[in-house]
Amino acid sequence: MGAVRMRVQTTTCDPEPMQNGEAMSPDAQDSKGPPGDEENQGAVPSAPPLPQEPPPCPRPKLVFHAQLAHGSPTGRIHGFTNVRELYARIAEVFNISASEILFCTLNSHKVDMQKLLGGQIGLEDFIFAHVRGETKEVEVVKTEDALGLTITDNGAGYAFIKRIKEDSTIDQIKTVCVGDHIEAINDQSIVGCRHYEVAKMLKEQLRGTPFTLRLVEPKKAFDMIGQRTRAPKSSEGKMVSGKETLRLRSKGSATLEEIPDEIEDKAIKKVDDLLESYMGIRDLELATTIVEAGKNKKNPDDFAEALDSVLGDFGFPDVFLFEVWGAMGDMKNGRI
C-alpha cells in the first residue's frame, strides 16, 4: 500500500526590522513602501501558491467470491493478507469458527487436490472452503518403510493427505481418503505441526508395530458421498485466471504478482515432485520459494546458504539440495 505523503509548511519568524538601532513600530513599517510607488505603500506581496500534490492513488480492493464446499450461499471475501486471515474472513462471512476450515479449493467444490488453494489465488478464482466432517480412527500396521502417503498442510495448522500411492499400505485401508486431516497419531495431537513434521513422525513408526491415526474427513455434499479420490501424479498447477495472482505468504503480506512463465512454472512443479520424493510432502508455495531462492544464485553453496536463511527449519538433506540445484540449472539453460 502506498504511503500517504503529507506536506508540512513551516513559518520562519524573522526579527522585526530595525531603524537606527531600534525596532520599527508597525506604523513606521507600514509607512515605508517601494520608492516611487506611493500608491502601493503598505501592500505586502504574496508568495505564489505552492503546487498541489496529486492525491495518492488508492489500492484497488480485491474481492473474492466463496462458498462452503458442501453447500452454502455465496459470500464476498476481502481484507486478508495470508491464509490464516483468509480463513478468518471466510468464517466471519459464514458464521462458523475458523478452526472448522480444513482447506480450500479453487473453482471446484470437490476434494480435488489439483485445485487445492496453495500460495496463489487468481484474481477471478472462486473459493470453496472445506470444513470438518466426521472423525474416524484407523489402526495401521507398517509393512514397508513407506506408508504410501503424501502430506501437505493448509498453512494454518492442519496437515492432511494429498495423495495415496496405489497398492501401498494406506491404500489397503479403504476408509482413509485424500483430503482427510490427520488430527492425531497414537492419540498425540499434531494440530499445529507442519507437513514435513507429520511426514517425519509417520516415517519413524516401526515396521510391524500397530499405530493409530485419528482422521477428520471434509464435510461432503450429497454428490460427493462415497467418493475416494486419488490425485494424479502430475498436472498439479496453480489454478489462476488472468495475468496476475494474489500470492499468499506464510510470513509477510500478500502481494499481487505476475504468473510465473512456463519455464519457471515447470521448475516449480519439478521441485514439488522432489519434495514428495525426498520428504513425503507436496507444497507448491514451498516449491515456489525454493525456486525464487535459487534463481539468481551462481553456485550451489550460495543457493544452500540462501535456502537456509529462509527455510532453515526444514533441514533439507544434501541429496535433495543437489537435485534441486540440478533442476535450477536446467531451468536457467532452457532444458526443462
Side-chain angles (χ1 to χ4, degrees), residues 199-218:
K200 185 171 182 286
M201 293 177 200
L202 292 173
K203 189 175 182 179
E204 290 172 348
Q205 299 301 313
L206 299 177
R207 291 180 65 170
T209 303
F211 66 94
T212 58
L213 292 176
R214 186 164 71 242
L215 308 170
V216 180
E217 65 182 36

mmCIF file of all heavy atoms in Angstrom, residues 199-218:
data_model
loop_
_atom_site.group_PDB
_atom_site.id
_atom_site.type_symbol
_atom_site.label_atom_id
_atom_site.label_comp_id
_atom_site.label_asym_id
_atom_site.label_seq_id
_atom_site.Cartn_x
_atom_site.Cartn_y
_atom_site.Cartn_z
ATOM 1 N N ALA A 199 5.098 -35.861 8.307
ATOM 2 C CA ALA A 199 5.697 -36.897 7.465
ATOM 3 C C ALA A 199 6.842 -37.594 8.206
ATOM 4 O O ALA A 199 7.009 -38.825 8.121
ATOM 5 C CB ALA A 199 6.195 -36.287 6.157
ATOM 6 N N LYS A 200 7.618 -36.833 8.959
ATOM 7 C CA LYS A 200 8.738 -37.406 9.722
ATOM 8 C C LYS A 200 8.213 -38.333 10.825
ATOM 9 O O LYS A 200 8.762 -39.425 11.051
ATOM 10 C CB LYS A 200 9.576 -36.275 10.319
ATOM 11 C CG LYS A 200 10.849 -36.726 11.039
ATOM 12 C CD LYS A 200 11.688 -35.512 11.389
ATOM 13 C CE LYS A 200 12.997 -35.918 12.067
ATOM 14 N NZ LYS A 200 12.797 -36.372 13.449
ATOM 15 N N MET A 201 7.147 -37.927 11.511
ATOM 16 C CA MET A 201 6.570 -38.776 12.558
ATOM 17 C C MET A 201 6.071 -40.098 11.983
ATOM 18 O O MET A 201 6.262 -41.167 12.583
ATOM 19 C CB MET A 201 5.400 -38.046 13.238
ATOM 20 C CG MET A 201 5.777 -36.827 14.042
ATOM 21 S SD MET A 201 4.274 -36.039 14.706
ATOM 22 C CE MET A 201 4.891 -34.396 15.049
ATOM 23 N N LEU A 202 5.427 -40.042 10.825
ATOM 24 C CA LEU A 202 4.915 -41.266 10.210
ATOM 25 C C LEU A 202 6.062 -42.162 9.750
ATOM 26 O O LEU A 202 5.998 -43.390 9.874
ATOM 27 C CB LEU A 202 4.003 -40.922 9.035
ATOM 28 C CG LEU A 202 2.683 -40.233 9.397
ATOM 29 C CD1 LEU A 202 1.946 -39.782 8.139
ATOM 30 C CD2 LEU A 202 1.795 -41.169 10.210
ATOM 31 N N LYS A 203 7.105 -41.546 9.248
ATOM 32 C CA LYS A 203 8.257 -42.321 8.789
ATOM 33 C C LYS A 203 8.936 -43.040 9.947
ATOM 34 O O LYS A 203 9.504 -44.129 9.792
ATOM 35 C CB LYS A 203 9.251 -41.392 8.078
ATOM 36 C CG LYS A 203 10.387 -42.117 7.374
ATOM 37 C CD LYS A 203 11.248 -41.137 6.587
ATOM 38 C CE LYS A 203 12.354 -41.873 5.847
ATOM 39 N NZ LYS A 203 13.202 -40.930 5.059
ATOM 40 N N GLU A 204 8.866 -42.458 11.138
ATOM 41 C CA GLU A 204 9.527 -43.020 12.310
ATOM 42 C C GLU A 204 8.741 -44.157 12.960
ATOM 43 O O GLU A 204 9.244 -44.811 13.888
ATOM 44 C CB GLU A 204 9.791 -41.915 13.339
ATOM 45 C CG GLU A 204 10.872 -40.925 12.887
ATOM 46 C CD GLU A 204 10.990 -39.728 13.815
ATOM 47 O OE1 GLU A 204 10.082 -39.549 14.670
ATOM 48 O OE2 GLU A 204 11.968 -38.969 13.679
ATOM 49 N N GLN A 205 7.508 -44.390 12.530
ATOM 50 C CA GLN A 205 6.745 -45.515 13.080
ATOM 51 C C GLN A 205 7.423 -46.827 12.703
ATOM 52 O O GLN A 205 7.872 -47.012 11.575
ATOM 53 C CB GLN A 205 5.303 -45.482 12.566
ATOM 54 C CG GLN A 205 4.520 -44.235 12.941
ATOM 55 C CD GLN A 205 4.410 -44.033 14.438
ATOM 56 O OE1 GLN A 205 4.098 -44.962 15.183
ATOM 57 N NE2 GLN A 205 4.674 -42.809 14.881
ATOM 58 N N LEU A 206 7.492 -47.757 13.646
ATOM 59 C CA LEU A 206 8.232 -49.010 13.456
ATOM 60 C C LEU A 206 7.441 -49.982 12.591
ATOM 61 O O LEU A 206 6.210 -50.075 12.706
ATOM 62 C CB LEU A 206 8.546 -49.647 14.811
ATOM 63 C CG LEU A 206 9.414 -48.816 15.759
ATOM 64 C CD1 LEU A 206 9.578 -49.538 17.090
ATOM 65 C CD2 LEU A 206 10.782 -48.531 15.131
ATOM 66 N N ARG A 207 8.136 -50.685 11.752
ATOM 67 C CA ARG A 207 7.505 -51.719 10.927
ATOM 68 C C ARG A 207 6.994 -52.841 11.829
ATOM 69 O O ARG A 207 7.668 -53.263 12.770
ATOM 70 C CB ARG A 207 8.490 -52.272 9.912
ATOM 71 C CG ARG A 207 8.861 -51.285 8.826
ATOM 72 C CD ARG A 207 9.849 -51.860 7.828
ATOM 73 N NE ARG A 207 9.285 -52.973 7.048
ATOM 74 C CZ ARG A 207 9.884 -53.500 5.984
ATOM 75 N NH1 ARG A 207 11.049 -53.039 5.575
ATOM 76 N NH2 ARG A 207 9.320 -54.484 5.331
ATOM 77 N N GLY A 208 5.805 -53.333 11.505
ATOM 78 C CA GLY A 208 5.217 -54.439 12.244
ATOM 79 C C GLY A 208 4.536 -54.053 13.536
ATOM 80 O O GLY A 208 3.879 -54.881 14.171
ATOM 81 N N THR A 209 4.681 -52.792 13.953
ATOM 82 C CA THR A 209 4.057 -52.332 15.200
ATOM 83 C C THR A 209 2.820 -51.494 14.866
ATOM 84 O O THR A 209 2.933 -50.482 14.166
ATOM 85 C CB THR A 209 5.035 -51.483 16.026
ATOM 86 O OG1 THR A 209 6.204 -52.258 16.292
ATOM 87 C CG2 THR A 209 4.392 -51.036 17.331
ATOM 88 N N PRO A 210 1.628 -51.901 15.337
ATOM 89 C CA PRO A 210 0.421 -51.137 15.019
ATOM 90 C C PRO A 210 0.466 -49.735 15.635
ATOM 91 O O PRO A 210 1.011 -49.532 16.724
ATOM 92 C CB PRO A 210 -0.711 -51.973 15.647
ATOM 93 C CG PRO A 210 -0.121 -53.326 15.900
ATOM 94 C CD PRO A 210 1.333 -53.102 16.153
ATOM 95 N N PHE A 211 -0.097 -48.785 14.939
ATOM 96 C CA PHE A 211 -0.305 -47.437 15.491
ATOM 97 C C PHE A 211 -1.648 -46.925 14.970
ATOM 98 O O PHE A 211 -2.210 -47.460 14.010
ATOM 99 C CB PHE A 211 0.845 -46.493 15.121
ATOM 100 C CG PHE A 211 0.963 -46.182 13.657
ATOM 101 C CD1 PHE A 211 0.372 -45.046 13.112
ATOM 102 C CD2 PHE A 211 1.689 -47.017 12.809
ATOM 103 C CE1 PHE A 211 0.495 -44.749 11.764
ATOM 104 C CE2 PHE A 211 1.813 -46.736 11.459
ATOM 105 C CZ PHE A 211 1.214 -45.597 10.930
ATOM 106 N N THR A 212 -2.167 -45.904 15.619
ATOM 107 C CA THR A 212 -3.493 -45.390 15.248
ATOM 108 C C THR A 212 -3.386 -43.993 14.659
ATOM 109 O O THR A 212 -2.527 -43.192 15.055
ATOM 110 C CB THR A 212 -4.437 -45.349 16.461
ATOM 111 O OG1 THR A 212 -3.863 -44.523 17.482
ATOM 112 C CG2 THR A 212 -4.681 -46.744 17.008
ATOM 113 N N LEU A 213 -4.255 -43.732 13.713
ATOM 114 C CA LEU A 213 -4.415 -42.399 13.136
ATOM 115 C C LEU A 213 -5.832 -41.922 13.427
ATOM 116 O O LEU A 213 -6.790 -42.654 13.163
ATOM 117 C CB LEU A 213 -4.205 -42.425 11.619
ATOM 118 C CG LEU A 213 -2.805 -42.727 11.080
ATOM 119 C CD1 LEU A 213 -2.848 -42.811 9.559
ATOM 120 C CD2 LEU A 213 -1.815 -41.658 11.529
ATOM 121 N N ARG A 214 -5.942 -40.729 13.989
ATOM 122 C CA ARG A 214 -7.265 -40.097 14.118
ATOM 123 C C ARG A 214 -7.408 -39.096 12.988
ATOM 124 O O ARG A 214 -6.609 -38.164 12.869
ATOM 125 C CB ARG A 214 -7.453 -39.429 15.480
ATOM 126 C CG ARG A 214 -8.877 -38.906 15.657
ATOM 127 C CD ARG A 214 -9.208 -38.587 17.100
ATOM 128 N NE ARG A 214 -8.521 -37.409 17.585
ATOM 129 C CZ ARG A 214 -7.657 -37.401 18.582
ATOM 130 N NH1 ARG A 214 -7.327 -38.530 19.185
ATOM 131 N NH2 ARG A 214 -7.082 -36.272 18.967
ATOM 132 N N LEU A 215 -8.384 -39.311 12.140
ATOM 133 C CA LEU A 215 -8.577 -38.520 10.925
ATOM 134 C C LEU A 215 -9.900 -37.773 10.978
ATOM 135 O O LEU A 215 -10.866 -38.242 11.576
ATOM 136 C CB LEU A 215 -8.552 -39.434 9.693
ATOM 137 C CG LEU A 215 -7.344 -40.369 9.550
ATOM 138 C CD1 LEU A 215 -7.583 -41.369 8.422
ATOM 139 C CD2 LEU A 215 -6.080 -39.568 9.294
ATOM 140 N N VAL A 216 -9.922 -36.621 10.337
ATOM 141 C CA VAL A 216 -11.158 -35.856 10.178
ATOM 142 C C VAL A 216 -11.377 -35.650 8.693
ATOM 143 O O VAL A 216 -10.548 -35.038 8.016
ATOM 144 C CB VAL A 216 -11.076 -34.490 10.895
ATOM 145 C CG1 VAL A 216 -12.383 -33.722 10.713
ATOM 146 C CG2 VAL A 216 -10.764 -34.665 12.372
ATOM 147 N N GLU A 217 -12.474 -36.159 8.179
ATOM 148 C CA GLU A 217 -12.733 -36.014 6.752
ATOM 149 C C GLU A 217 -13.487 -34.719 6.479
ATOM 150 O O GLU A 217 -14.211 -34.216 7.351
ATOM 151 C CB GLU A 217 -13.522 -37.209 6.220
ATOM 152 C CG GLU A 217 -14.913 -37.354 6.774
ATOM 153 C CD GLU A 217 -15.609 -38.588 6.234
ATOM 154 O OE1 GLU A 217 -14.947 -39.621 6.031
ATOM 155 O OE2 GLU A 217 -16.842 -38.511 6.030
ATOM 156 N N PRO A 218 -13.333 -34.146 5.293
ATOM 157 C CA PRO A 218 -14.087 -32.944 4.952
ATOM 158 C C PRO A 218 -15.583 -33.261 4.856
ATOM 159 O O PRO A 218 -15.955 -34.355 4.423
ATOM 160 C CB PRO A 218 -13.533 -32.529 3.579
ATOM 161 C CG PRO A 218 -12.328 -33.367 3.356
ATOM 162 C CD PRO A 218 -12.446 -34.571 4.200
#
